[in-house]
Amino acid sequence: MKKILYTAFFIVLCLNAIAQKKALNQAEKEYNNYAYVNAISIFEKVAESGYQDEKLFQKLGNAYYFNAELSKALKWYDALFALNKEQEPEYYYRYSQALKSIADYSKSDEMLEIFNEKNQKNQKGITVINHKNYLEQIRRNSGRFEILDAGINSNESDYGSAILNTKLVFASARDTGLVTKKIFKWTNRSFTDLYTAEIKPDGSLGNPVKFDKNINSKFNESTPVFTKDGKTMYFTRNNFLAGTKGKNSDKITLLKLYKAEFEDGKWTNSVELPFNSDQYNTAHPSLSADEKTLYFASDMPGGYGQSDLYCAVINSDGTFGKPENLGPAVNTPGRENFPSTAQNEFYFSSDGHFGLGGLDVFTAKIKEGKIDQVQNIGEPVNTQYDDFAYIIDSTTRKGFFSSNREGGKGTDDIYQFTETSKLECDRELSGIIVDAETNEILAGVKVILLDNKFQQVAELISGSDGSYSFQLNCYEMYHIRAVKEDYETSETAVSVHPSDTKPERIVKLEKQIKKIEIGTDLAKTLNIPTIYFQLDQFSIQKEAAFELEKILAVMQQYPEMKIDVRSHTDSRQSKKYNMILSEKRAKATMEWFIKKGIAASRLSGKGYGESQLLNKCSDNIKCTEEEHKVNRRSEFVILSF
């Protein structure tokens, strides 16, 4: 049976019954020595009286939402969004779910769409790389590779590998003649042709031979990629087709992407891709695992840096969609190039992300067609030199990359590697659950882990020491929800970073039913802000009345209760002036209650001026406005009830 947690009515009835029957056991008698005020019930009465407050509506909506009373939650979420449409992402999600309780699916979908947009922005903001710790992160990601020279390198530049059946295809400048001395803007390298080398059963490579003469020209060819059936290739070449060389407005021959088909034992039908241009470079193609998306690098206008990564959909009829920039999560003001994929893994090289120097290889997961958080794959693949053109077999975890590191044979060399362990980042998030007021350890709390779409991932009960722990994937957004009887449900957004060695979160739960007794200051019990009088003012403003309604609701619940209104000022102005001002404030407050129907006999009050300051801000002490505000307060102390 669902227990209704947020109604003070039943509590009052129980207390009255105890007082009348006087027949309960000692524990019940001890309970009867205290009175309890249900904060949620008080807030709801205040809201029902016509006062509008954003935090109030959030609290009321959440109170019902967490208890699956969505139709009741909807009332307060409606009020919340009517007051302010700009909310944190989770409120769009909760509002969306509440709207389904009345079958308003159209508006629910609208809210969910906004949630998805805002949640992505929020998640990116939380999981951005901590630049101060980037070297530590790289160190943690390192040591996962065995590498060796591929055995096919020359004294010139060799780079940019691809697999075609049982052959490695790569670019080389080893014997292409004097024209190799010509340097081009995009690669800053000599002309290259494509070569192949047989991959032997033991993984070693045979002697390189030139690739198909219909592909190799007198200018650059490099970085090919092949479809799985071996019938289509995409590759990079200088702006040269059918014997004609193209140039940009500065008379420079740039790079373009081309497509060729394998027919009758040879490569033919070379055509350039539709998003090429004489005015900018396109290069380094790569195919998604399903071969429906082409990734590539370009310095086309509108990017984030010197060269960016893009993707274009390959339609079923062979045409291409409009290229889309992969965005700031991948692209930087620097250079991003040489993309490659392996199932849901995305790799590329960059000198704009934080690395060890030059181009480093980075990786990210591909989730629902989007590139997730970027990580440096670490040493020994990455060095302080240029490390790039990384490809890996997702099954064998073997592959090739290129580098101009020291110890190689040429200006660039190709290396083989075996990944000995995958880059999987997860951390154990641990913590304790405590009472927000007393810091008392809370055992037996239901702790629920939710993902970024508020789907439950795990659930546990906090131990006798109040402890809990969950395994979290790095960078991903989660929510921890803590539920305990007689406490307000808490929900906290969390995310862990690779640099977090032992991430911890203390979860504090607010009592739903708050104890009151003689001497209790209701302002503290009901979390009423200490400031609701403006400087040098004593009239009850709208904001002050909103807070006083909470006190009024308690006094109406307990008709015998008497309170003492104690008004305080800050130290500015003279002591005499402040004493008079505080007396006026106390009097104005009591008059407000009397007008609301509270008997004058239940009220007393006094002004204390600046005689009971809560901080150092006395005369001649320099303090900020915020520090002075702490002293400008009223207290509502229970004298009897």
Side-chain angles (χ1 to χ4, degrees), residues 145-148 381 390-393 397-401 415-419:
F145 299 91
E146 295 175 354
I147 66 172
L148 69 156
V381 170
Y390 178 101
I391 63 170
I392 186 172
D393 185 294
R397 309 310 291 178
K398 296 179 181 292
F400 299 86
F401 72 96
Y415 295 84
Q416 288 179 291
F417 70 83
T418 300
E419 185 186 56

Side-chain angles (χ1 to χ4, degrees), residues 193-194 211-222 224 233 235-237 240 258-261 266-270:
D193 276 343
L194 295 181
F211 193 66
D212 195 296
K213 64 181 180 179
N214 291 325
I215 299 299
N216 287 329
S217 69
K218 61 181 180 180
F219 293 103
N220 272 314
E221 283 80 33
S222 66
M233 72 177 292
F235 63 100
T236 306
R237 177 192 282 167
F240 181 79
Y258 295 83
K259 175 184 177 181
E261 303 291 340
K266 60 183 179 180
W267 290 96
T268 185
N269 300 326
S270 294

Side-chain angles (χ1 to χ4, degrees), residues 218 240-245:
K218 61 181 180 180
F240 181 79
L241 186 64
T244 301
K245 180 174 67 174

Side-chain angles (χ1 to χ4, degrees), residues 299-446:
D299 59 358
M300 67 176 64
Y304 291 87
Q306 298 175 51
S307 63
D308 281 13
L309 298 182
Y310 292 80
C311 67
V313 173
I314 304 175
N315 299 315
S316 57
D317 62 358
T319 60
F320 290 86
K322 182 180 179 181
E324 295 183 8
N325 190 293
L326 295 188
V330 172
N331 294 314
T332 71
R335 297 177 298 161
E336 279 72 47
N337 48 34
F338 299 101
S340 68
T341 64
Q343 294 302 324
N344 66 334
E345 299 165 290
F346 184 74
Y347 297 91
F348 65 99
S349 290
S350 170
D351 62 5
H353 290 275
F354 283 77
L356 297 176
L359 292 170
D360 271 22
V361 178
F362 293 83
T363 186
K365 297 290 187 182
I366 303 175
K367 294 184 176 181
E368 298 178 355
K370 302 294 183 181
I371 308 300
D372 203 17
Q373 293 294 331
V374 169
Q375 292 193 71
N376 188 302
I377 69 170
E379 297 176 306
V381 170
N382 287 329
T383 65
Q384 67 268 43
Y385 301 94
D386 283 334
D387 308 294
F388 57 99
Y390 178 101
I391 63 170
I392 186 172
D393 185 294
S394 60
T395 302
T396 66
R397 309 310 291 178
K398 296 179 181 292
F400 299 86
F401 72 96
S402 306
S403 178
N404 65 355
R405 66 187 62 194
E406 289 184 339
K409 293 183 66 175
T411 54
D412 296 306
D413 291 283
I414 298 173
Y415 295 84
Q416 288 179 291
F417 70 83
T418 300
E419 185 186 56
T420 56
S421 62
K422 294 185 71 172
L423 182 58
E424 297 289 355
C425 177
D426 58 56
R427 297 287 183 270
E428 182 181 59
L429 176 75
S430 60
I432 57 173
I433 315 291
V434 300
D435 184 293
E437 183 177 356
T438 66
N439 283 325
E440 175 189 357
I441 294 294
L442 296 179
V445 179
K446 181 191 290 186

Side-chain angles (χ1 to χ4, degrees), residues 144-169:
R144 302 178 300 104
F145 299 91
E146 295 175 354
I147 66 172
L148 69 156
D149 187 289
I152 54 171
N153 293 306
S154 69
N155 294 329
E156 299 295 335
S157 178
D158 302 283
Y159 72 96
S161 309
I163 303 296
L164 173 61
N165 300 322
T166 60
K167 295 181 179 180
L168 184 74
V169 184

Side-chain angles (χ1 to χ4, degrees), residues 219-278:
F219 293 103
N220 272 314
E221 283 80 33
S222 66
T223 54
V225 65
F226 301 89
T227 54
K228 294 183 181 70
D229 62 10
K231 295 181 178 180
T232 302
M233 72 177 292
Y234 300 91
F235 63 100
T236 306
R237 177 192 282 167
N238 284 120
N239 186 356
F240 181 79
L241 186 64
T244 301
K245 180 174 67 174
K247 297 181 179 181
N248 69 1
S249 57
D250 295 324
K251 298 184 178 181
I252 297 174
T253 300
L254 301 179
L255 299 174
K256 287 187 174 183
L257 291 174
Y258 295 83
K259 175 184 177 181
E261 303 291 340
F262 191 69
E263 296 179 358
D264 300 325
K266 60 183 179 180
W267 290 96
T268 185
N269 300 326
S270 294
V271 295
E272 65 173 276
L273 299 190
F275 38 79
N276 288 333
S277 172
D278 290 344

